[in-house]
């Protein structure tokens, strides 16, 4: 892994912290200052902002609040790089982050290195509460590493020459995916939510019991080839499979295929971080919205799984397995030729609204704004993607997006009901 080198760590979390910080810097190494500054849409943020915001998080909640005598690197930065923490005061408008041409990328990288070194140098003087915030900050930065990559992908897709961030991976022989198999569950009471071992975000608990009806989940996600059949059958032209809001979105936005797909003389292509390529029919379809996922499931005579069904099926699987982000380099979903696999490649839409679990209480202070206040109007995704840092996820992990959003690596696993 390339990037700044820090003093050897004396604590496992110190090492993890230094590795997370170095990976973010390695991910942006191919970017120019202009690449890192531009904002392609309000949902996305400039790469430079991601780098600075994650540093602001550590500087604010760890150094400022817990390290006596610490002085802010730059008193102007909290206004620029606070995201949504109302308790931290006024902040620059999200939709205008691309207007922050100064500080430069080099200055932001200098800010990062100063904050990183201050955390490492002050480690022995940090109280236990601050060490817990360092762990939260590492997972927060890993979330932003994925967002950084998907935001760069969207930015480059808006460039008429469609540049690649990295060279394409060596071409592999065309794979033939196995037919979808079904993992059956007889129903009954199961426990879901984080069990208290290791790190988790607040929205993953409390652990609680739920009643599942008999059901089955597909043992793999839907492929590009299968999605192409949906397209060929008029999937985006026929309203009967779509939710009313979804069909209105299709009509209003002129949606005709997954994001980044184009049809040419040679067939369908997709744009990725390695440039524009022919779609791999065996690879999982990605960059589809909840509306599209739900419509496809209806067309296929199935439905989306609930998040509880998904977690019950994935609980015994290796959350660090599958195709996930390990280091800078080609990032794209890859064909899964043996299963079942529940982690990596694409985030999987569920049919579950993102709402609090029974007994949920946000933590005290500004970091209590991390998840709880977003529990409205969004749907849960599970499993992680090819851009999710390896080791970041677990079966109880709850990602969430609005139903129209699709610039993340989002895909589809089917479910169906079984007779009791």
């Amino acid at each position: 892994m390339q990037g700044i080198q820090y003093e050897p760590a004396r604590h496992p979390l110190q090492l993890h912290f230094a590795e997370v910080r170095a990976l973010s810097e390695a991910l942006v190494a191919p970017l120019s200052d202009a690449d890192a500054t531009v904002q392609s849409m309000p949902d996305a943020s400039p790469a430079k902002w991601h780098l600075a915001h994650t540093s602001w998080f550590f500087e604010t909640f760890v150094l400022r609040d817990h390290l006596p005598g610490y002085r802010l690197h730059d008193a102007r930065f909290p206004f620029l790089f606070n995201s949504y923490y109302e308790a931290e005061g006024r902040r620059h408008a999200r939709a205008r982050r691309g207007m922050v041409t100064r500080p430069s990328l080099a200055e932001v990288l200098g800010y990062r290195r100063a904050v990183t070194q201050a955390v490492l140098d002050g480690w022995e003087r940090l109280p236990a509460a601050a060490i817990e915030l360092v762990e939260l900050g590492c997972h927060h930065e890993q979330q932003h590493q994925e967002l950084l990559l998907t935001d760069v992908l969207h930015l480059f897709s808006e460039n008429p020459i469609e540049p690649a961030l990295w060279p394409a991976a060596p071409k592999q022989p065309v794979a033939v995916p196995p037919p979808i198999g079904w993992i059956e569950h007889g129903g009954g009471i199961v426990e879901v939510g984080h069990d208290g071992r290791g790190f988790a975000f607040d929205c993953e608990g409390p652990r609680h019991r739920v009643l599942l009806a008999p059901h089955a989940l597909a043992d793999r996600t839907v492929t590009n080839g299968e999605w192409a059949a949906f397209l060929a059958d008029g999937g985006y032209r026929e309203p009967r499979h779509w939710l009313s809001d979804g069909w209105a979105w299709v009509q209003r936005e002129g949606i005709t295929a997954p994001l980044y797909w184009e049809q040419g003389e040679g067939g369908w292509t997709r744009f990725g971080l390695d440039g524009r390529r022919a779609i791999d029919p065996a690879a999982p379809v990605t960059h589809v919205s909840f509306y599209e996922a739900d419509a496809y499931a209806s067309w296929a005579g199935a439905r989306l799984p609930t998040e509880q069904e998904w977690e019950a099926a994935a609980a015994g699987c290796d959350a660090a397995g599958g195709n996930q982000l390990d280091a800078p380099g080609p990032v794209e979903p890859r064909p899964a030729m043996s299963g079942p696999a529940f982690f990596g490649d694409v985030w999987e839409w569920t049919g579950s609204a993102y709402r609090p679990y029974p007994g949920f209480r946000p933590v005290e202070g500004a970091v209590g704004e991390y998840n709880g206040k977003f529990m409205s109007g969004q749907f849960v995704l599970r499993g992680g993607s090819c851009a999710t840092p390896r080791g970041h996820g677990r079966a109880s992990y709850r990602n969430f997006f609005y139903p129209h959003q699709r610039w993340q690596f989002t895909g589809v696993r089917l479910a169906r009901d079984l007779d009791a």
Side-chain angles (χ1 to χ4, degrees):
M1 182 186 304
Q2 300 175 349
I4 189 73
Q5 298 298 310
Y6 299 102
E7 292 298 317
R10 296 179 295 276
H11 184 286
L13 182 56
Q14 280 180 292
L15 177 60
H16 181 56
F17 169 73
E19 288 176 341
V20 168
R21 300 290 283 168
L23 177 57
S24 295
E25 291 157 26
L27 291 175
V28 302
L31 299 180
S32 68
D33 190 281
D35 291 334
T37 300
V38 177
Q39 181 177 17
S40 58
M41 64 170 175
D43 282 340
S45 296
K48 189 170 66 177
W49 187 90
H50 287 294
L51 295 172
H53 166 71
T54 50
S55 299
W56 169 86
F57 186 97
F58 287 111
E59 183 178 46
T60 300
F61 299 125
V62 176
L63 297 174
R64 184 201 68 183
D65 290 354
H66 294 283
L67 190 64
Y70 179 80
R71 296 181 62 183
L72 293 180
H73 182 82
D74 190 313
R76 300 170 298 177
F77 285 4
F79 176 80
L80 292 178
F81 302 127
N82 178 6
S83 55
Y84 51 72
Y85 294 88
E86 299 286 351
E88 288 299 319
R90 295 174 60 246
R91 59 200 179 276
H92 187 59
R94 176 175 181 173
R96 294 182 61 80
R97 289 172 183 168
M99 301 303 293
V100 183
T101 59
R102 307 283 181 91
S104 67
L105 176 58
E107 290 173 306
V108 166
L109 289 171
Y111 173 46
R112 285 184 59 83
R113 291 162 188 166
V115 169
T116 300
Q117 199 62 60
V119 172
L120 294 175
D121 289 345
W123 194 272
E124 300 303 327
R125 293 184 289 147
L126 293 174
I131 300 302
E132 290 181 4
L133 288 168
V134 171
E135 186 174 30
L136 172 62
C138 288
H139 286 270
H140 167 251
E141 182 150 343
Q142 287 179 315
Q143 290 180 314
H144 278 272
Q145 288 167 349
E146 180 160 10
L147 287 166
L148 187 156
L149 290 175
T150 52
D151 291 357
V152 168
L153 173 58
H154 189 271
L155 171 68
F156 282 9
S157 77
E158 294 290 301
N159 187 319
I161 65 172
E162 294 188 322
L165 182 63
W166 296 302
K171 194 169 184 178
Q172 301 295 322
V174 176
V176 178
I180 286 179
W182 294 92
I183 305 166
E184 296 189 355
H185 190 291
I189 295 175
V190 300
E191 288 194 341
V192 297
H194 192 252
D195 62 9
R197 293 178 294 179
F199 176 84
F201 289 110
D202 57 358
C203 65
E204 297 176 49
R207 191 165 177 84
H208 59 287
R209 296 186 299 171
V210 296
L211 175 64
L212 301 182
H215 65 277
L217 267 62
D219 64 354
R220 63 166 175 80
T221 52
V222 174
T223 66
N224 288 323
E226 290 162 340
W227 201 273
F230 173 60
L231 280 163
D233 197 40
Y236 286 82
R237 302 190 303 273
E238 171 55 62
R240 65 191 179 94
H241 294 300
W242 292 80
L243 296 169
S244 178
D245 285 350
W247 184 245
W249 170 76
V250 165
Q251 298 294 96
R252 182 176 64 252
E253 302 296 332
I255 305 298
T256 59
L259 186 62
Y260 308 132
W261 279 36
E262 288 186 4
Q263 190 171 32
E265 293 181 0
W268 287 104
T269 64
R270 58 86 181 146
F271 180 72
L273 288 165
D274 57 354
R276 183 159 295 282
R277 310 278 172 183
I279 65 164
D280 181 347
V285 69
T286 189
H287 302 299
V288 294
S289 68
F290 170 83
Y291 292 140
E292 291 166 283
D294 186 81
Y296 179 91
S298 174
W299 174 81
R303 60 172 173 82
L304 298 179
T306 69
E307 63 169 320
Q308 294 83 7
E309 291 170 343
W310 190 100
E311 186 173 330
C317 298
D318 179 13
N323 174 28
Q324 300 182 55
L325 178 67
D326 293 300
V331 171
E332 64 174 336
R334 301 172 190 164
M337 300 309 295
S338 61
F342 282 88
F343 295 93
D345 284 312
V346 292
W347 285 101
E348 301 172 20
W349 285 106
T350 74
S352 298
Y354 179 55
R355 292 291 295 149
Y357 284 160
F360 170 80
R361 296 290 184 273
V363 298
E364 295 294 327
V367 293
E369 298 184 52
Y370 198 101
N371 283 312
K373 70 181 187 179
F374 298 110
M375 292 175 170
S376 173
Q378 306 194 66
F379 283 84
V380 173
L381 300 99
R382 295 297 193 112
S385 79
C386 54
T388 304
R390 194 177 303 280
H392 177 62
R394 57 209 150 265
S396 61
Y397 194 111
R398 306 173 79 199
N399 199 356
F400 50 94
F401 284 104
Y402 290 101
H404 68 279
Q405 292 175 318
R406 58 184 191 154
W407 90 107
Q408 296 298 306
F409 286 97
T410 50
V412 186
R413 183 186 300 269
L414 298 176
R416 65 186 186 188
D417 299 318
L418 296 178
D419 294 333

